[in-house]
Each structure stands twice: as C-alpha cells, then as structure tokens.
Amino acid sequence: MAKQKEELLEQLSECVVEMEDETVVDVANEYLEGGYPAYDGIMDGLVDGMNKVSDLYDAEEYFVTDVLLCSDAMYAGLDVLRPHLPVEESGADKPKIVIGVVEGDTHDIGKNLVKIMMDTAGFEIYDLGRDVPLDDFVDKAVEVGAAIICMSTLMTTTMIGMKTVIEKLEERGIRDQFKVMVGGSPVSQKYANDIGADGYSVNAVGAVKKAKELVGIA
C-alpha cells in the first residue's frame, strides 16, 4: 500500500538530518510514484530537513562536516525531484539574488543554507562567498540586475557593513532598484529597520518566504 504524503515528507526530512544520501533517492522516487507534487517534496521534505540541520548546528550538536554531509543528502534528493517541478516554478525568468557574508566575517554555514533554499525555491543565485568586500555586493547586483541583495554575518563587529552597503546604494542613487535582506545571529528586526533594510528573517525558511514576498512571488 502506498505511503501517505505526510509520511514520505517526514522521511525525506529525516534522510537529510541523518545524512542518508542513498536512502533519500529511494524515498524521493517513491514520493514521485505516489503522484505527489515535487515542489512540496522539496520545500516540506528536503528543505524542512535542512532547516532542522541548521537548528542542530546553532545548538552545537552538529558541526561543519555534519552540515556538509546533510547538504549532500539534500542535493541527492533534489536531483530526483527538481526535474519534476512545474514549468512556472523552474522557468528561465528567475528573480536574481546576490548573496554573501559581509567583509570581516568568514562564517558561512547560515549563508549556505539560505543559498540552497533560495535556489530550490526558484531564485537565480549569485554567491559571493564569505568575507565579501562591501563594494562587491553593489557592483555584482548592478552587473546581473539583481532583485535582492542578501547579506549575513555572525559577528557584531561586522554588522555595520550591512548599513554601509545600503549607504553605498544610496550614494550611487540606485537604492530603489534593489531589495536588501539581512540576517545572522546578532542581527534583529530592529537592526534591519534601523539601517533601512527591506527584509530580515531568523532562519533560512523564513528568508525564502520573505524574499518571495519582496519580489511578489506567491
């Protein structure tokens, strides 16, 4: 008897958390054979698992090597499900996002999770990496015609870089061309408001929802 959708979604999530990159392929195929939507499998299964991994990392129960293995499992499932996305969710005309960790900070696990989930949700991602010179955010956004600039940091000492990027956009007279999102452990909604950012989220799943809201994707 075919498994229920919710059971399979939970198994997809669990495979990511448990780093089961082979089992996840079998579960993803079983999910598709059940006639369930690929998008739900990605967001409510694989991405849900990666969000749990993020929480485990924040709680210091998982380490960088664990997160990378979980990412491998997520991508294995993604390879199965992504080709089955409806055209409107995998079409060529994707909103573009420039993402990176601000200058002075090399902590990029959180940024990488957001990148994975944004990519899965249908955005075209330009990843600048970590310790990114502040001018690079502006220059790359202009170069590719980005809709959103996403910045993260885990250090209070580098948070000011986010404000500086927004000021650079204002100085060049192009602030209104881009939405700016910020995130990371020391960042708060109040700080985002204070520096004039357009969006903030406490986790990667919330970041995807906010990004969709900012560009008008249902």
Side-chain angles (χ1 to χ4, degrees):
M1 184 171 133
K3 292 180 182 176
Q4 295 295 313
K5 179 181 178 182
E6 292 304 318
E7 183 183 354
L8 290 167
L9 289 174
E10 180 59 36
Q11 286 184 1
L12 287 170
S13 176
E14 188 177 314
C15 283
V16 172
V17 174
E18 298 298 330
M19 314 169 207
E20 297 175 350
D21 58 344
E22 294 182 0
T23 305
V24 73
V25 171
D26 295 333
V27 177
N29 280 314
E30 185 177 356
Y31 178 85
L32 290 173
E33 287 164 7
Y36 304 123
Y39 185 80
D40 292 350
I42 292 170
M43 296 306 295
D44 298 332
L46 301 176
V47 170
D48 177 74
M50 208 64 205
N51 198 46
K52 292 174 182 173
V53 171
S54 178
D55 291 340
L56 289 166
Y57 178 77
D58 289 341
E60 298 184 352
E61 292 183 39
Y62 271 20
F63 301 98
V64 173
T65 49
D66 299 313
V67 174
L68 293 174
L69 290 170
C70 292
S71 296
D72 288 343
M74 178 178 179
Y75 277 119
L78 205 51
D79 286 343
V80 175
L81 296 176
R82 181 178 275 162
H84 297 273
L85 286 173
V87 173
E88 64 267 23
E89 287 165 353
S90 61
D93 190 19
K94 299 179 179 180
K96 297 173 182 176
I97 291 179
V98 169
I99 189 170
V101 181
V102 295
E103 191 169 20
D105 190 350
T106 59
H107 302 89
D108 63 357
I109 293 295
K111 182 269 296 178
N112 289 340
L113 292 177
V114 173
K115 171 191 169 184
I116 289 168
M117 296 181 192
M118 292 284 198
D119 179 53
T120 301
F123 291 93
E124 184 175 339
I125 308 298
Y126 293 85
D127 183 8
L128 301 180
R130 56 190 183 179
D131 191 17
V132 179
L134 304 180
D135 282 318
D136 288 6
F137 285 101
V138 179
D139 293 341
K140 192 64 177 182
V142 171
E143 176 192 333
V144 303
I148 302 175
I149 298 172
C150 286
M151 296 178 282
S152 73
T153 185
L154 288 185
M155 299 167 62
T156 54
T157 53
T158 54
M159 286 169 61
I160 191 65
M162 297 172 168
K163 183 174 185 287
T164 302
V165 169
I166 292 175
E167 289 171 346
K168 288 177 180 292
L169 292 170
E170 291 168 347
E171 288 166 5
R172 291 174 61 168
I174 55 175
R175 174 63 183 92
D176 60 350
Q177 293 180 27
F178 309 99
K179 299 297 185 183
V180 177
M181 290 182 59
V182 296
S185 295
V187 182
S188 64
Q189 183 64 64
K190 181 182 184 302
Y191 184 73
N193 294 342
D194 289 346
I195 66 174
D198 301 293
Y200 159 79
S201 176
V202 296
N203 59 41
V205 169
V208 171
K209 291 178 182 176
K210 188 63 182 178
K212 286 186 169 188
E213 179 185 315
L214 290 174
V215 299
I217 298 176

